[in-house]
Amino acid sequence: MTFYGEDSPIAALATPSGQGALAIVRTSGKDAVDRLASCFSAPRKLRTAPGNTVVYGWILGKNRSRVDETLVSVFRAPKSYTGEDAADISCHGGYAVAQAVLETLHDAGFRDALPGEFTFRAFMNNKIDLTRAESVKEIVSAKSGKAHSGAIRRLSGGLEAEIRSIKEKLVRVLAGAELFLDYSEDEYMETDADERTGSLPDRARAWEAHAALQDLSASFRIENLYQEGAFAVIAGRPNAGKSSLFNRLVKEDRAIVTETPGTTRDWLEAWIAIEGIPVRLADTAGIRDSEDAVEKIGVERSLDLITCADVLLYIVDGTTGLSAEDMQFLHSGAVEGTPLITVWNKADIAREMPDNSTGMVRVSAKTGEGIVKLSALIAEVLLADHGAEDERIGVASARQKALIDKALTYTADALAMADTGQALDIIAPSLREAVNCLGEITGEVSTTDILDVMFSSFCVGK
Ligand SMILES: Nc1nc2c(ncn2[C@@H]2O[C@H](COP(=O)(O)OP(=O)(O)OP(=O)(O)O)[C@@H](O)[C@H]2O)c(=O)[nH]1
Ligand SMILES: [Mg+2]
């Protein structure tokens, strides 16, 4: 059975399998370079290659048959991604070639890397902390520029530094409290009542840590929005122009558009980016009472989708204006609780919008008029009251968020106890728990179970 946490030589295809100019097979581990040399056309050159150099040669298979012509980048411990001796084999792209190289490596004593095992080793060898390890996964899966830049900030150590600084504050408060405890127990049995039960020394610093934790906790919603994206649903009466708007936003003729009301039955979806936010956009069947069995099911699906939406784009046909059915729907339970943008469509031929039209935007799916404004409004609604600050440090993984919230609760508990004059020996354990939670985020405090779960969600080769 293979498991994380040993240094045996491992290999994996680090690039997607499929046709391409090049593929990279990554190796790492004890004797990785020597083992690779045993199936390489220039073994001595490879074996003696210093770190950060590139060696040209052929990978040789059974009976020294040529498998592929390659360039091998050699890295020497501890100056490699994993902290071990490592080699990246740059071979020709294509499924068969990479597979043949991997099989040759198996014969030379390499085993397949587990998901995330290279990054796991980097963590174990103190090359990176856990926030940076997680950012590697986030970079690989980033769907938009904003998600990518947030992950890059974490990879550069921004989040690690912030967590360490909060932790340091709490440790100092805790140290002050412990000192006070020892001091009063040993020598000050006679301290006055207020000091003994008394307020936490250095309480202002604990409040600073509390505020910083609150900021980090709040950052999750936005970082997660850029990382995972949001769901936007286009809905409205038949013929309002939903499919036309969908096509306009997707910039492709995806949905069928006709002048016959009830054209869309099955809903359609596509990913688009709105101001850096990945958005899954759905076009749905027009909502109306219908006798048609198929259309009825379509309408039910539209209503189901609305309940999962992060934002609802309700399309109104601007040539007819808000109908009684529109009004009834917009004030019904179906919409309640879902952020709503009302889109006054067909601006090229429509009448004026009503006076009271806040949260309403005038567009033409046909000419593109108002689409920029609509996109801005969608971003505004999704970001809610959080501005999109470009340089902020944020939390993007649910694991980090849960630990920050735990640390926040413990800190708040400690502060509340201090407020009510509880004894320091009752307050101190809460602070210690908060410090432990923060240590778990960066990986100073970690159990193998957590690590296994975390790294197994990586892709192989990372
Ligand atoms: N002039 C004008 N016509 C539009 C505009 N948007 C849609 N239309 C027309 O309105 C008709 C209905 O458009 P669709 O996009 O199919 O409307 P829908 O809301 O998807 O309709 P259903 O799928 O039947 O619910 C078509 O004839 C479109 O060409 C617009 O901005 N301006
Ligand atoms: Mg349609």
Side-chain angles (χ1 to χ4, degrees):
M1 203 178 117
T2 50
F3 53 91
Y4 293 97
E6 26 113 6
D7 61 359
S8 59
I10 51 173
L13 180 61
T15 43
S17 71
Q19 280 187 22
L22 295 173
I24 292 177
V25 174
R26 182 176 244 191
T27 70
S28 179
K30 198 158 178 285
D31 309 329
V33 179
D34 286 351
R35 277 178 199 270
L36 181 57
S38 72
C39 56
F40 196 66
S41 62
R44 184 130 44 89
K45 210 164 167 198
L46 188 56
R47 214 173 284 128
T48 55
N52 300 339
T53 57
V54 177
V55 181
Y56 164 84
W58 286 79
I59 299 286
L60 301 177
K62 287 200 172 70
N63 306 319
R64 311 298 283 170
S65 61
R66 291 181 161 194
V67 175
D68 195 22
E69 190 181 23
T70 66
L71 285 174
V72 177
S73 309
V74 178
F75 305 94
R76 296 293 181 181
K79 290 189 172 171
S80 69
Y81 180 68
T82 54
E84 305 171 325
D85 274 3
D88 284 356
I89 305 164
S90 177
C91 58
H92 289 102
Y95 186 74
V97 183
Q99 214 43 44
V101 169
L102 275 172
E103 274 163 29
T104 307
L105 292 177
H106 289 163
D107 293 341
F110 288 86
R111 70 162 166 80
D112 284 332
L114 300 169
E117 194 167 9
F118 292 93
T119 309
F120 178 85
R121 290 185 178 191
F123 167 71
M124 291 309 273
N125 294 325
N126 292 321
K127 299 290 289 186
I128 50 175
D129 80 310
L130 280 189
T131 64
R132 295 194 211 200
E134 278 170 305
S135 73
V136 172
K137 187 172 81 174
E138 289 155 15
I139 287 172
V140 175
S141 61
K143 292 191 194 70
S144 72
K146 282 269 173 60
H148 175 238
S149 51
I152 287 289
R153 273 194 293 280
R154 284 184 287 280
L155 181 64
S156 313
L159 181 60
E160 184 192 3
E162 176 67 6
I163 303 262
R164 282 195 203 284
S165 126
I166 300 173
K167 201 176 123 197
E168 200 182 293
K169 285 193 174 80
L170 288 175
V171 166
R172 283 177 69 170
V173 177
L174 186 59
E178 309 245 358
L179 198 73
F180 188 88
L181 276 173
D182 291 347
Y183 187 58
S184 52
E185 260 174 34
D186 297 346
E187 298 173 31
Y188 265 77
M189 298 310 287
E190 300 293 309
T191 46
D192 65 64
D194 188 44
E195 270 192 333
R196 238 184 310 122
T197 57
S199 43
L200 188 60
D202 217 356
R203 201 166 350 159
R205 205 188 298 274
W207 274 113
E208 277 171 29
H210 184 266
L213 284 170
Q214 263 179 333
D215 284 350
L216 275 185
S217 175
S219 72
F220 177 71
R221 202 184 74 77
I222 300 302
E223 289 294 325
N224 197 51
L225 181 66
Y226 284 117
Q227 190 71 35
E228 300 297 327
F231 187 38
V233 174
I234 300 178
R237 302 280 300 160
N239 226 35
K242 299 178 294 301
S243 301
S244 305
L245 182 70
F246 178 82
N247 289 344
R248 168 67 63 182
L249 289 170
V250 174
K251 299 192 180 109
E252 211 181 310
D253 238 352
R254 282 281 306 279
I256 299 172
V257 169
T258 74
E259 63 251 1
T260 318
T263 300
T264 306
R265 301 293 178 93
D266 277 338
W267 58 284
L268 279 177
E269 66 169 39
W271 280 97
I272 57 171
I274 292 187
E275 302 200 355
I277 306 169
V279 173
R280 185 160 68 97
L281 185 70
D283 175 29
T284 62
I287 297 161
R288 66 172 168 189
D289 289 329
S290 169
E291 295 304 313
D292 182 299
V294 180
E295 188 173 359
K296 254 186 153 148
I297 297 173
V299 171
E300 272 167 31
R301 290 192 180 167
S302 302
L303 297 174
D304 285 347
L305 286 172
I306 291 171
T307 61
C308 323
D310 296 308
V311 57
L312 169 62
L313 311 181
Y314 188 83
I315 319 299
V316 176
D317 184 338
T319 60
T320 52
L322 276 164
S323 64
E325 290 90 345
D326 284 324
M327 292 307 282
Q328 194 188 352
F329 182 77
L330 286 172
H331 290 101
S332 71
V335 186
E336 216 178 294
T338 308
L340 169 75
I341 296 173
T342 311
V343 182
W344 191 264
N345 188 34
K346 310 195 185 178
D348 50 311
I349 50 171
R351 54 170 89 171
E352 286 304 307
M353 290 202 291
D355 288 343
N356 180 17
S357 56
T358 33
M360 201 182 271
V361 54
R362 187 181 162 97
V363 310
S364 166
K366 190 171 177 181
T367 66
E369 178 191 337
I371 296 297
V372 172
K373 205 168 158 204
L374 172 63
S375 298
L377 201 56
I378 295 173
E380 198 180 300
V381 167
L382 291 175
L383 290 166
D385 43 20
H386 292 82
E389 301 155 41
D390 278 338
E391 292 306 318
R392 76 205 177 288
I393 297 292
V395 174
S397 97
R399 182 192 78 89
Q400 294 166 1
K401 160 85 160 98
L403 286 165
I404 283 171
D405 284 346
K406 231 167 124 181
L408 187 59
T409 309
Y410 281 121
T411 310
D413 284 354
L415 283 163
M417 286 190 270
D419 273 350
T420 55
Q422 301 271 343
L424 275 181
D425 54 358
I426 298 183
I427 299 175
S430 285
L431 287 174
R432 213 170 293 128
E433 289 290 352
V435 169
N436 281 343
C437 291
L438 296 180
E440 217 178 292
I441 295 177
T442 54
E444 287 152 85
V445 184
S446 59
T447 71
T448 24
D449 286 353
I450 302 173
L451 295 178
D452 278 0
V453 170
M454 228 192 81
F455 283 95
S456 58
S457 66
F458 275 58
C459 48
V460 173
K462 241 324 169 188

